[in-house]
Amino acid sequence: WYQRRVREAVVSTQSTGSSGINAEYGLAIGDFFLSFSMSGVVGALFALALALLLKHLALTKTPSLEFCTVCLFAYAPYFLAEGLHLSGIMAILSSGIVMSHYAHYNLSFMTQVTVQQVFRTFAFLAESCVFAYLGMAIFSFTHSFQPSLIVWSILLCLIGRGLNIGLLTLLANRFRQTKVTPQQQFIMWFSGLRGAIAFALALHLPFDETTKQVIVSTTLVIVLFTIIVMGGSTMPVIKLVTWWTDRQTGRVRLQSEDRHHLDEQDSETDFITVNTEGGSGDTEYMLSKTVEFGRNLNVDEVEPETAAPGVWSRWDEKYFVPFFRKKFTQQEIRMACNEMHDLTTKWHTDVETGSQLMGEDDNDEHSL
């Protein structure tokens, strides 16, 4: 929608001159904010509907149906927004944010882990396809490079991202209990990658062929520079910033043998166990994906989290969280953890049995 309005503004400006440029671009900007807000509303409504559905229907006993329901409600906002000529990306983004805050806590523990791993796998595959497409674009398009435009574009992108991060984090820190430090802001600025979206927008700009080649080539160079140069040096920069921060604050990092000792202690626990000593059976808790494998879990560590001070946080904790989130008792948490324990034990036994059978087959072939 926004692209169409900008294209109409460009065509109108080229045909009528600069007299109507302010009105046309003003209309395009207004349509952009309308599309932005309406797409967010569409995604949020789907996420809230899913939270209520999972809260009041007993889908925890059928993890497959529960997982399919999450997938349908996760991607339905995208198709609806595209059908309404809104932003599908914005709709699915707002849907994911609201789902992670409300609907996620209504899922069973097994489905929480499944959703997290499956979506992470699909995200990795999609990202791999995007980078493969960008790599093939180097040889698939006719390019026209202008070094001065490329250099100035990279500089302006870095400056614009720095201003964007600085102003937004300054605003966000006024409402956050845990502040975004300058070191974190620097890493956010340095590790920002411009990839498929920027390249796709460049391909759909309504210019003549010569101008479009210059813009597409410049965009591709910026993308490759940020991915290869800045993305490739992100980890060394993080280590350098961490070392500099530790040196400035006087903190001493753990020695390698201490970290190895801690890792050995953590690896002794294969599955999650719940410690319910001293707790009443009807006490209610949130069941969250933030539980990590490989360590003991005390029920006192499970949700609810302490809310950061603020008007929205107080309203959220008082009205929205009790309405959209489901409460789990200690008994339900214990049953969920025991279910995961039994399932992972079965998987471990099957893997060991398969390994032993393969080893016996190898020994038989060797003896023959």
Side-chain angles (χ1 to χ4, degrees):
W1 195 356
Y2 174 65
Q3 292 180 5
R4 186 175 68 253
R5 296 303 303 174
V6 172
R7 186 181 298 110
E8 292 175 356
V10 172
V11 173
S12 176
T13 302
Q14 292 176 348
S15 60
T16 62
S18 60
S19 59
I21 186 172
N22 294 330
E24 291 293 340
Y25 277 102
L27 183 60
I29 293 174
D31 286 343
F32 165 76
F33 283 105
L34 178 62
S35 175
F36 179 87
S37 58
M38 293 302 297
S39 301
V41 170
V42 170
L45 289 178
F46 270 87
L48 295 177
L50 176 64
L52 292 176
L53 182 67
L54 295 175
K55 180 180 179 180
H56 296 289
L57 294 183
L59 298 179
T60 56
K61 297 180 180 179
T62 54
S64 299
L65 179 60
E66 191 178 25
F67 174 75
C68 292
T69 304
V70 174
C71 293
L72 290 176
F73 275 83
Y75 289 101
Y78 178 86
F79 299 107
L80 179 61
E82 289 293 329
L84 297 175
H85 300 288
L86 300 175
S87 174
I89 295 177
M90 184 61 203
I92 201 172
L93 174 62
S94 63
S95 176
I97 293 174
V98 178
M99 282 184 183
S100 65
H101 189 60
Y102 296 112
H104 167 79
Y105 295 93
N106 299 338
L107 296 172
S108 63
F109 184 79
M110 183 182 300
T111 307
Q112 287 182 3
V113 177
T114 304
V115 166
Q116 184 182 12
Q117 297 303 322
V118 170
F119 283 1
R120 183 177 297 175
T121 302
F122 280 126
F124 179 79
L125 292 175
E127 185 178 2
S128 300
C129 293
V130 168
F131 285 119
Y133 176 75
L134 291 175
M136 292 187 294
I138 300 176
F139 308 99
S140 302
F141 295 94
T142 303
H143 299 290
S144 177
F145 300 101
Q146 293 187 6
S148 59
L149 178 61
I150 294 174
V151 173
W152 279 108
S153 299
I154 293 176
L155 290 177
L156 291 176
C157 284
L158 296 178
I159 294 173
R161 183 171 180 83
L163 294 175
N164 184 16
I165 292 175
L167 295 177
L168 291 180
T169 52
L170 179 64
L171 178 63
N173 283 339
R174 296 178 61 88
F175 305 96
R176 288 174 57 94
Q177 187 176 16
T178 303
K179 308 298 182 183
V180 181
T181 64
Q183 292 81 4
Q184 292 172 338
Q185 295 179 33
F186 175 77
I187 295 300
M188 292 168 60
W189 169 81
F190 187 85
S191 60
L193 305 179
R194 290 90 184 163
I197 295 179
F199 189 71
L201 291 175
L203 289 176
H204 290 83
L205 287 176
F207 295 114
D208 59 88
E209 190 65 24
T210 304
T211 305
K212 189 174 180 179
Q213 287 181 4
V214 174
I215 295 178
V216 170
S217 301
T218 303
T219 305
L220 185 59
V221 171
I222 295 174
V223 170
L224 294 177
F225 174 80
T226 55
I227 291 176
I228 298 175
V229 178
M230 302 184 69
S233 58
T234 296
M235 287 305 299
V237 171
I238 292 177
K239 293 180 181 179
L240 180 62
V241 172
T242 304
W243 172 81
W244 182 84
T245 303
D246 292 340
R247 184 176 180 181
Q248 291 296 112
T249 57
R251 294 196 301 264
V252 180
R253 298 179 61 84
L254 292 174
Q255 300 296 328
S256 58
E257 55 268 21
D258 294 336
R259 293 198 301 269
H260 182 67
H261 179 65
L262 292 175
D263 292 338
E264 288 181 347
Q265 288 182 342
D266 289 341
S267 62
E268 291 176 359
T269 304
D270 294 331
F271 309 106
I272 294 179
T273 59
V274 177
N275 181 9
T276 59
E277 296 180 359
S280 58
D282 57 351
T283 305
E284 294 180 337
Y285 296 90
M286 297 295 182
L287 189 59
S288 173
K289 70 179 180 184
T290 53
V291 177
E292 297 179 359
F293 290 103
R295 66 177 180 88
N296 289 324
L297 171 65
N298 193 305
V299 174
D300 295 333
E301 299 177 4
V302 187
E303 294 284 341
E305 299 175 349
T306 57
V311 177
W312 166 252
S313 297
R314 291 195 296 268
W315 276 62
D316 185 44
E317 292 294 331
K318 186 176 181 180
Y319 299 106
F320 297 107
V321 169
F323 185 75
F324 289 106
R325 284 188 189 177
K326 180 181 178 180
K327 296 289 185 177
F328 289 89
T329 63
Q330 285 185 352
Q331 182 179 2
E332 290 174 327
I333 294 178
R334 189 185 305 110
M335 292 176 59
C337 292
N338 290 336
E339 182 182 2
M340 288 298 300
H341 180 275
D342 295 339
L343 182 61
T344 50
T345 301
K346 182 178 181 301
W347 289 344
H348 182 69
T349 303
D350 293 341
V351 171
E352 281 191 341
T353 303
S355 300
Q356 292 175 359
L357 292 177
M358 292 180 62
E360 292 177 358
D361 293 340
D362 294 339
N363 292 333
D364 294 339
E365 292 180 358
H366 181 71
S367 60
L368 291 176

